[in-house]
């Protein structure tokens, strides 16, 4: 479109704000008037300002109606300003084009169109249909240019960066080519738009009062006073001494000559016109206002510049010098800022060096305070980004609503157009029939037939005009929908980029806070319990760091805290430890978990969610295996777990078995019911679903465990089954599904005697784990053997409840995702991966008691789930199931032999005791007999 060519000139044509050659004779109208239906590409002309007179519908009461207004587009703000006349100093109001959509109705008055913004609808009317289409196309291009162009530097808003010119021109060229598919470019209407329209007389209104804006009465008074002052100054200049202003007046007369083009000689240059234009005090006033630069109307001084004469070149050069001076000043300020930043970095370096070299704790605490200030600054930045994100989300929703409205409007117009086409076809058939069958007409009524024919022909002409109008409207609306859709996609991309940036900043904030807390913990360990002012300050800092920020975030209606109290399954993200040192460690671990989650959100989690969303029916495959190892998103986990459980228990499942087991439990009491009641209150004390008195989960868990005790009487109930069933309830949220999940784990995944009274298979797996540790991690195993550490005291519970008490919930559920599909091999993989993850920390400990204390809680310090998964399924390879079965078989034989030997020794001992009791001497009495005699 021509708007794109005007705002993106090719090489050889001056850009906006630059000077034209002195000999240039190109007038304000660069091309002859042509119709909008012509699709031929016009000649590229110099860029023109988008301005002109339009009628605006507004007002209240008796003065409601059309009012003539001067409209002018500001490229810097993407606003369309309007005032009563082109000479007004202050605009009445502005229209935000960046978030507006445009509409033209074929059945409305000619030249009428609408600009719809999120807050209001502005109805405008142009002089002709061509002017209306020109304004609509230009506003479309201006809106796209604003959304597609990079933000201008604040120091020089009018100066374009040299590297952005070709790219922007290419973008606009592509946009122009795309819009030509919908609506052909409209030629510039001569004399009705652009700077030349300011010289035309203001369109006359029926009443002078009707054109005055009572809504902006203060602005109207300011503009009237300003115009009166300008006219007085112009008159004083014209009647002054001839020696002072005579040359200037003559120069202004020469400047005014080309400003009034003769319509009869449009092809001739203004310099060749023999008739000099009469002197206009209005033009003098406009040029003086352009020189004074006191106009508050944006870019009015540039919009009313007619031709580049020598004097105006001087003014333009002065403006460029002023602009360059401001740019130089801004560059100097930037250099000063960089110097200050360099000095700050050097001071920080010196402070760090002083911290490392200082022998006292006061200097170190100063660095800690500095880090606290940095954390506060990052928090403010995150708050600003959150607000910006919310505004973008609101804008995107508004754009979606507008697109839907436009699509509905287009559909209605298409239906109406189709109905009119059907009417036209029927009328055409009727006219053809009348021509082919003239014998039906009576011979005495030829005039009546002619009149009917003429009326039908007139109706056809009107219908053709309506069809053409609707066709034009349809083309424009298609182009509007196309461009609004592109803008919406661009806004969505910007929102996505801002979300990624916000997540990254939140992750960095968590990392900084984690390092700060780790530094406090190291200081606490180094200082011990020394009663001094520094230790008291350290305790105060730790107490402040452990305080919960959720209340502050809710007070400000902005979620500043990256840590919530409970995760999505109800587990505490920061466990409530009584020991201060453990509280600090738990908070550090929660921050690190949040940091890793935020950093992996866009790179890993989002593509994984998209893959799960596109996955249809679940079928056992290598792809599903890899997806399960990577973790199932929360919204898909219940469905996936139900499918995995059904895969395991389909040979045992009957629809009514769970209800029958519950009814059996109501009929008679289960021997394990007492132990189940005792363990209910000890199930996950750090989960709100099992600690809240009003929660329904304890009752569900009781029924699931009682039903299983009747389902498998050989096991009944074993400690640990309550935690397995609780995990299933938290994910599946249905009693029957959780029951069958427990059946699948105990009876199909784990070995047969894993939960019996002897726990034979559990003991075998502990010995298999030690063999695998010796093979995969020989240094660590040697270190543990050297300090006489029995790992089964730590790892036995891992295997019994599948890490339910050991890992944080995010990692635990990823383990269960793969465990329900692949079986017990996953438990061995993750057990080895946990030791590999913390191998270096364990090797640094040189005391058996310290190693035991560290192994009690070290699984809770694992926060990077992706790293642990890679260790388990990549670093631990090869891990064949054949080897695992062989090791289990060997160790089972050894354990059964040991148990048999133990039973034999026990039987010998009992036999020996029995023989000794029979051989008691007659003179010896037992204690009971002696008591009886007493």
């Amino acid at each position: 479109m021509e708007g794109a060519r005007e705002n993106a000139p090719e090489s050889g044509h001056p850009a906006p704000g630059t000077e034209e050659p002195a000999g240039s004779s190109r007038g304000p109208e660069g091309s002859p008037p042509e119709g909008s239906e012509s699709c031929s590409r016009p000649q590229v002309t110099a860029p023109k300002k988008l301005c002109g007179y339009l009628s605006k519908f507004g007002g209240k009461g008796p003065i409601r109606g059309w009012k003539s207004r001067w409209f002018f587009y500001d490229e810097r703000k993407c606003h369309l300003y309007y005032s009563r006349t082109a000479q007004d100093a202050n605009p009445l109001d502005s229209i935000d084009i960046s978030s507006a959509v445009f509409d033209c109705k074929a059945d409305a008055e000619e030249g009428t169109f609408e600009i719809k913004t999120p807050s209001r609808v502005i109805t405008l009317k142009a002089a002709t249909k061509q002017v209306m289409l020109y304004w609509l196309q230009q506003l479309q291009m201006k809106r796209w240019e604003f959304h597609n162009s990079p933000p201008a530097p604040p120091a020089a808003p009018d100066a374009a960066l040299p590297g952005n010119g070709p790219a922007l021109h290419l973008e606009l060229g592509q946009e122009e080519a795309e819009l030509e598919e919908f609506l052909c470019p409209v030629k510039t209407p001569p004399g009705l738009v652009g700077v030349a329209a300011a010289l035309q007389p203001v369109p006359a209104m029926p009443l002078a009062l009707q054109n005055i804006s009572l809504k902006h009465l203060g602005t109207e008074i300011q503009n009237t006073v300003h115009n009166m002052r300008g006219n007085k100054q112009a008159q004083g200049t014209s009647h002054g001494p001839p020696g002072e202003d005579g040359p200037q007046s003559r120069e202004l007369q020469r400047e005014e000559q080309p400003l009034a083009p003769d319509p009869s000689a449009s092809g001739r240059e203004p310099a060749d016109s023999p008739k000099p234009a009469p002197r206009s005090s209005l033009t003098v006033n406009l040029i003086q206002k352009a020189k004074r630069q006191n106009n508050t109307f944006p870019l009015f001084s540039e919009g009313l510049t007619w031709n580049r004469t020598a004097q105006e070149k001087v003014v333009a050069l002065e403006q460029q010098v002023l602009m360059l001076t401001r740019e130089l000043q801004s560059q100097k300020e930037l250099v000063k800022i960089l110097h200050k930043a360099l000095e700050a970095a050097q001071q920080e370096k010196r402070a760090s060096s002083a911290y490392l070299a200082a022998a006292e704790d006061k200097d170190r605490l100063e660095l800690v305070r500095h880090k606290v200030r940095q954390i506060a600054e990052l928090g403010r930045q995150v708050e600003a980004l959150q607000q910006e994100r919310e505004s973008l989300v609101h804008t995107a929703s508004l754009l979606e609503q507008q697109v839907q409205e436009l699509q509905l409007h287009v559909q209605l117009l298409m239906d109406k157009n189709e109905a009119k086409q059907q009417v036209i076809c029927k009328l055409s058939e009727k006219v053809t029939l009348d021509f082919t069958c003239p014998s039906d007409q009576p011979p005495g009524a030829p005039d009546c037939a002619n009149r009917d024919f003429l009326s039908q022909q007139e109706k056809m002409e009107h219908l053709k005009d309506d069809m053409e109008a609707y066709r034009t409207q349809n083309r424009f609306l298609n182009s509007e929908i196309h461009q609004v859709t592109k803008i919406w996609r661009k806004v969505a991309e910007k929102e996505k980029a801002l979300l990624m940036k916000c997540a990254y900043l939140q992750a960095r904030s968590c990392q900084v806070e984690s390092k700060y807390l780790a530094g406090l913990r190291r200081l606490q360990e180094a200082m011990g319990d020394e009663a001094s002012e520094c230790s008291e300050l350290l305790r105060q800092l730790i107490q402040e760091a452990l305080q919960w920020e959720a209340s502050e975030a809710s007070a400000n209606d902005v979620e500043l805290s990256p840590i919530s109290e409970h995760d999505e399954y109800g587990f505490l993200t920061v466990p409530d430890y009584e020991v201060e040192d453990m509280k600090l460690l738990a908070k550090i671990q929660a921050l690190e978990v949040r940091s890793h989650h935020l950093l992996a959100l866009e790179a890993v989690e989002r593509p994984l969610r998209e893959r799960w969303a596109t996955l249809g029916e679940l079928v056992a495959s290598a792809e599903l295996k890899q997806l399960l190892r990577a973790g199932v998103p929360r919204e898909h986990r219940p469905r996936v777990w139900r499918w995995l459980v059904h895969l395991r228990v389909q040979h045992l499942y009957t629809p009514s078995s769970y209800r029958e087991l519950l009814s059996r439990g109501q009929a008679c009491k289960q021997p394990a019911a007492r132990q189940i009641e005792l363990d209910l209150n000890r199930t996950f004390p750090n989960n709100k679903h099992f600690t809240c008195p009003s929660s329904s989960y304890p009752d569900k868990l009781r029924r699931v465990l009682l039903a299983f005790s009747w389902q498998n009487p050989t096991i009944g109930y074993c400690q640990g089954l309550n935690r397995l069933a609780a995990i299933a309830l938290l994910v599946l949220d249905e009693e029957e599904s959780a029951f069958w999940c427990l059946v699948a784990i105990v009876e199909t995944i784990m070995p047969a005697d894993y939960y019996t009274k002897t726990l034979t298979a559990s003991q075998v797996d502990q010995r298999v784990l030690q063999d695998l540790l010796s093979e995969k991690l020989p240094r660590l195993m040697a270190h543990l053997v050297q300090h006489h550490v029995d790992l089964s005291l730590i790892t036995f519970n891992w295997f019994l409840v599948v890490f339910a008490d050991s890992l944080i919930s995010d990692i635990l559920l990823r383990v269960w995702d793969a465990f329900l599909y692949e079986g017990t091999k996953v438990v061995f993989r993750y057990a080895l991966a946990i030791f590999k993850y913390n191998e270096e920390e364990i090797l640094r400990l040189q005391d058996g008691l310290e190693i035991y204390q560290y192994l009690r809680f070290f699984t809770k310090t694992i926060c990077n789930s992706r790293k642990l998964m890679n260790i388990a399924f990549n670093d631990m390879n090869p891990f064949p199931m054949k080897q695992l079965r062989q090791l289990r078989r060997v160790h089972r034989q050894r354990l059964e032999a040991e148990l048999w030997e133990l039973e034999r020794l026990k039987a010998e001992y009992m036999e020996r005791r029995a023989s000794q009791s029979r051989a008691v001497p007659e003179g010896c009495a037992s204690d009971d007999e002696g008591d009886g005699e007493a």
Side-chain angles (χ1 to χ4, degrees):
M1 296 188 326
E2 184 170 331
R5 289 187 290 274
E6 291 178 353
N7 291 282
E10 298 179 3
S11 58
H13 296 277
T18 60
E19 300 180 73
E20 295 180 0
S24 176
S25 60
R26 183 172 56 252
E29 301 86 30
S31 60
E34 295 182 16
S36 63
E37 288 78 7
S38 176
C39 293
S40 59
R41 186 180 297 275
Q43 182 181 359
V44 177
T45 60
K48 302 179 181 64
K49 296 297 180 184
L50 181 59
C51 54
Y53 279 105
L54 293 172
S55 296
K56 178 179 177 294
F57 189 80
K60 293 183 179 180
I63 60 172
R64 182 172 178 82
W66 295 102
K67 298 182 180 182
S68 177
R69 294 288 181 260
W70 171 262
F71 284 83
F72 190 89
Y73 175 73
D74 182 6
E75 296 182 357
R76 294 175 297 181
K77 298 180 180 179
C78 196
H79 278 224
L80 189 66
Y81 291 88
Y82 61 89
S83 63
R84 193 161 56 88
T85 63
Q87 292 77 36
D88 289 347
N90 300 315
L92 297 176
D93 201 354
S94 65
I95 305 171
D96 186 6
I97 302 301
S98 62
S99 58
V101 293
F102 313 112
D103 187 16
C104 64
K105 294 182 169 54
D107 53 354
E109 191 175 352
E110 182 181 1
T112 304
F113 62 98
E114 291 181 350
I115 300 178
K116 299 180 180 180
T117 65
S119 58
R120 56 177 177 161
V121 178
I122 301 94
T123 305
L124 304 175
K125 183 170 67 173
T128 63
K129 177 182 176 183
Q130 181 187 4
V131 176
M132 176 194 73
L133 292 176
Y134 177 81
W135 272 97
L136 288 172
Q137 281 191 338
Q138 290 295 313
L139 291 175
Q140 278 185 332
M141 291 304 301
K142 299 295 185 183
R143 180 183 60 189
W144 174 251
E145 180 182 352
F146 177 78
H147 280 283
N148 202 39
S149 61
D158 292 335
L161 295 176
N164 293 333
L168 180 59
H169 179 69
L170 180 61
E171 294 269 354
L172 294 176
Q174 293 175 354
E175 176 67 15
E176 177 185 349
E178 291 176 356
L179 290 181
E180 282 185 4
E181 299 177 1
F182 301 101
L183 187 64
C184 299
V186 180
K187 302 290 185 180
T188 305
L192 297 178
V193 295
V195 177
L199 291 179
Q200 303 295 330
V202 179
M205 303 300 295
L207 295 175
L209 182 62
Q210 187 177 1
N211 200 36
I212 297 176
S213 176
L214 298 180
K215 182 179 179 182
H216 309 91
L217 189 58
T219 307
E220 287 276 8
I221 295 174
Q222 291 178 5
N223 291 333
T224 304
V225 173
H226 191 278
N227 291 335
M228 291 173 63
R229 286 181 182 176
N231 291 332
K232 287 182 180 180
Q233 291 177 1
Q235 293 174 3
T237 303
S238 61
H239 294 290
E244 294 180 4
D245 295 333
Q248 184 179 1
S249 301
R250 287 191 296 272
E251 180 66 28
L252 292 175
Q253 287 181 1
R254 288 194 297 270
E255 291 175 5
E256 292 161 15
Q257 284 183 356
L259 299 180
D262 187 3
S264 62
S266 58
R268 296 162 52 188
E269 297 181 353
D272 298 336
S273 178
K275 296 181 180 180
R279 179 172 181 172
S280 172
S281 60
L282 173 62
T283 309
V284 176
N285 186 23
L286 291 177
I287 296 175
Q288 287 178 352
K289 283 196 290 184
K291 292 178 180 179
R292 285 196 301 269
Q293 291 292 324
N294 293 328
N295 196 346
T296 57
F297 205 136
L299 297 180
F300 248 47
S301 58
E302 294 180 13
L304 299 178
T305 301
W306 312 128
N307 280 330
R308 301 290 182 173
T309 60
Q311 191 171 2
E312 291 177 339
K313 290 179 183 178
V314 173
V315 175
L317 288 173
E318 289 177 355
Q319 292 177 358
Q320 289 185 3
V321 169
L322 180 61
M323 186 174 58
L324 291 174
T325 304
R326 292 178 180 175
E327 186 176 0
L328 179 61
Q329 185 178 0
S330 65
Q331 294 293 335
K332 289 181 179 179
E333 291 176 357
L334 179 61
V335 171
K336 291 180 182 179
I337 292 172
L338 291 175
H339 278 298
K340 290 180 181 179
L342 181 60
E343 290 175 1
Q346 291 177 351
Q347 289 178 0
E348 186 175 359
K349 180 180 178 182
R350 288 195 294 270
S352 300
S353 302
Y355 175 82
L356 296 174
E360 298 183 0
D361 294 331
K362 293 182 178 180
D363 298 330
R364 297 180 178 178
L365 289 175
E366 183 62 26
L367 182 59
V368 171
R369 296 191 189 98
H370 180 63
K371 293 298 181 182
V372 171
R373 290 192 292 271
Q374 286 184 347
I375 292 171
E377 182 64 26
L378 284 174
R380 287 192 290 272
Q381 293 179 6
V382 170
E383 180 181 3
L385 288 173
Q386 288 282 0
Q387 293 176 353
E388 185 177 358
R389 173 185 174 274
E390 291 176 359
S391 65
L392 287 175
V393 169
H394 180 66
T395 304
S397 64
L398 291 176
L399 288 175
E400 287 181 356
Q401 294 176 2
Q402 293 169 3
V403 169
Q404 292 175 359
E405 292 176 0
L406 286 173
Q407 288 176 349
L408 180 61
H409 191 194
V410 169
Q411 184 62 35
L412 292 175
L413 289 176
M414 291 176 66
D415 295 342
K416 189 174 181 180
N417 192 12
E418 185 178 358
K420 288 193 174 185
Q421 287 178 354
Q422 292 176 359
V423 171
I424 290 172
C425 292
K426 291 180 180 179
L427 291 175
S428 300
E429 292 176 359
K430 185 176 181 181
V431 170
T432 306
L433 185 63
D434 292 341
F435 272 111
T436 55
C437 301
S439 59
D440 297 339
Q441 298 179 358
D447 295 337
C448 181
N450 290 334
R451 284 196 301 271
D452 291 342
F453 172 73
L454 291 176
S455 64
Q456 293 290 339
Q457 190 174 11
E458 186 178 358
K459 289 181 181 179
M460 286 184 62
E461 292 297 331
H462 287 308
L463 289 173
K464 287 180 180 179
D465 293 340
D466 291 343
M467 280 184 60
E468 188 62 31
Y470 279 113
R471 188 178 291 112
T472 303
Q473 181 192 21
N474 193 19
R475 291 197 201 102
F476 169 74
L477 290 179
N478 285 338
S479 66
E480 178 69 6
I481 292 172
H482 171 72
Q483 196 178 70
V484 169
T485 303
K486 289 183 67 176
I487 292 174
W488 176 81
R489 288 175 181 170
K490 195 170 186 67
V491 170
E493 291 175 358
K494 288 182 180 178
E495 181 187 5
K496 183 178 179 181
L498 285 175
L499 286 174
M500 292 177 63
K501 186 176 180 181
C502 183
Y504 175 75
L505 288 176
Q506 284 184 336
R508 294 293 300 169
S509 176
C510 291
Q511 290 176 356
V512 171
E513 190 174 355
S514 173
K515 292 178 181 177
Y516 166 68
L517 294 178
L520 288 180
R521 185 166 177 265
R522 292 193 187 97
L523 286 175
Q524 185 183 38
E525 292 175 353
M527 294 182 64
D529 298 330
E530 298 177 2
S532 63
E533 182 180 355
C534 293
S535 61
E536 182 64 28
L537 178 61
L538 181 61
R539 281 195 294 271
Q540 183 180 357
L541 289 174
I542 293 174
Q543 185 178 3
E544 292 176 356
L546 291 174
Q547 287 178 353
W548 205 253
E549 302 93 341
S551 59
E552 299 177 3
S554 61
N556 297 329
D557 294 332
V558 178
E559 189 180 356
L560 296 178
S561 176
I563 305 297
S564 58
E565 188 175 0
H566 294 87
D567 65 6
E568 51 196 8
Y569 290 100
F571 290 97
L572 280 173
T573 54
V574 181
D576 188 14
Y577 294 119
E578 296 181 358
V579 183
E580 289 292 331
D581 187 36
M582 295 296 291
K583 285 184 178 181
L584 201 57
L585 188 64
K587 184 68 178 291
I588 293 171
Q589 177 246 344
L591 288 168
E592 290 180 353
V593 168
R594 181 63 176 170
S595 172
H596 288 296
H597 174 72
L598 288 170
L599 290 176
L601 184 62
E602 291 295 330
V604 180
E605 297 295 336
R606 193 177 298 278
L608 186 62
R609 289 177 185 272
E610 292 175 356
R611 289 181 65 186
W612 276 105
T614 57
L615 194 66
E617 185 179 356
L618 297 175
V619 179
S621 62
E623 180 187 6
L624 180 63
K625 181 179 180 180
Q626 294 301 321
L627 286 175
L628 290 171
R629 287 182 173 185
V632 183
R634 183 180 184 274
E635 59 269 22
H636 299 285
R637 185 168 279 139
R639 175 177 69 94
V640 174
W641 278 28
R642 289 189 186 95
W643 180 80
L644 293 172
V645 169
H646 179 73
L647 200 65
R648 294 281 184 179
V649 299
Q650 55 186 343
H651 61 288
L652 303 172
Y653 176 77
T654 53
S656 60
S657 59
Y658 179 69
R659 291 190 296 272
E660 292 174 358
L661 292 171
L662 287 180
S663 60
R664 185 189 303 178
Q666 294 174 356
C668 57
K669 188 176 181 180
Q670 168 63 237
R674 184 172 178 274
Q675 186 62 41
I676 290 174
E677 288 295 332
L678 292 175
D679 285 350
L680 282 179
N681 296 327
R682 293 180 289 190
T683 303
F684 293 140
N686 62 340
N687 190 291
K688 65 179 181 180
H689 295 303
F690 292 99
T691 55
C692 180
S694 60
S695 176
S696 61
Y697 278 84
D699 295 332
K700 292 180 181 180
L701 181 61
R702 178 188 297 108
R703 289 191 289 269
V704 169
L705 294 176
L706 287 174
F708 180 80
S709 64
W710 288 109
Q711 162 76 14
N712 194 334
T714 58
I715 296 176
Y717 175 74
C718 174
Q719 286 187 351
L721 297 182
N722 59 325
R723 283 164 285 185
L724 296 177
I727 293 293
L729 271 174
L730 289 173
V731 175
L732 300 173
D733 200 32
E734 297 176 0
E735 293 182 31
E736 186 172 359
S737 300
F739 166 75
W740 287 112
C741 182
L742 183 61
V743 171
I745 294 173
V746 176
E747 299 187 9
T748 65
I749 298 178
M750 292 298 191
D753 50 354
Y754 218 85
Y755 297 96
T756 57
K757 293 182 179 180
T758 58
L759 301 174
T760 305
S762 302
Q763 298 182 55
V764 168
D765 279 354
Q766 296 306 306
R767 301 187 180 192
V768 172
L769 176 64
Q770 294 185 15
D771 286 354
L772 293 174
L773 275 171
S774 301
E775 176 188 349
K776 304 290 185 181
L777 303 171
R779 279 200 313 147
L780 178 63
M781 194 61 191
H783 181 73
L784 296 175
V785 170
Q786 178 185 357
H787 293 283
H788 308 288
V789 176
D790 185 6
L791 281 181
S792 61
L793 299 176
I794 305 298
T795 59
F796 191 85
N797 193 51
W798 293 3
F799 284 72
L800 201 64
V801 297
V802 195
F803 303 103
D805 281 334
S806 306
L807 298 172
I808 61 175
S809 60
D810 181 59
I811 301 178
L812 171 66
L813 295 174
R814 294 173 188 265
V815 174
W816 276 54
D817 292 337
F819 165 72
L820 292 175
Y821 184 72
E822 299 184 50
T824 55
K825 185 169 66 171
V826 173
V827 183
F828 284 98
R829 281 185 177 273
Y830 271 99
L832 296 171
I834 289 171
F835 283 108
K836 176 68 174 178
Y837 191 100
N838 297 274
E839 182 178 14
E840 298 301 327
E841 287 77 3
I842 299 174
L843 291 175
R844 281 197 291 267
L845 301 175
Q846 299 299 325
D847 182 73
L849 182 59
E850 290 183 2
I851 294 176
Y852 273 118
Q853 291 177 347
Y854 179 73
L855 293 180
R856 281 179 51 247
F857 68 89
F858 82 115
T859 54
K860 293 289 186 181
T861 63
I862 299 175
C863 55
N864 193 341
S865 59
R866 293 293 162 189
K867 179 181 176 182
L868 186 67
M869 182 197 70
N870 288 330
I871 295 175
F873 294 107
N874 295 327
D875 295 356
M876 293 298 111
N877 287 334
F879 202 90
M881 194 64 189
K882 181 180 179 181
Q883 178 190 9
L884 186 61
R885 294 194 189 98
Q886 184 178 0
L887 289 174
R888 277 178 165 171
R889 185 167 55 253
V890 171
H891 284 291
R892 176 178 286 275
Q893 293 174 357
R894 293 177 182 175
L895 181 62
E896 289 176 350
E898 292 174 3
L899 292 175
W900 182 84
E901 181 66 20
L902 182 61
E903 290 295 330
R904 186 184 64 80
L905 293 175
K906 187 188 299 185
E908 290 179 357
Y909 172 74
M910 295 301 295
E911 184 179 353
R912 187 168 59 252
R913 282 296 302 271
S915 62
Q916 288 176 357
S917 61
R918 289 194 299 268
V920 175
E922 295 180 358
C924 298
S926 66
D927 293 339
D928 295 337
E929 292 173 354
D931 292 340
E933 291 175 358

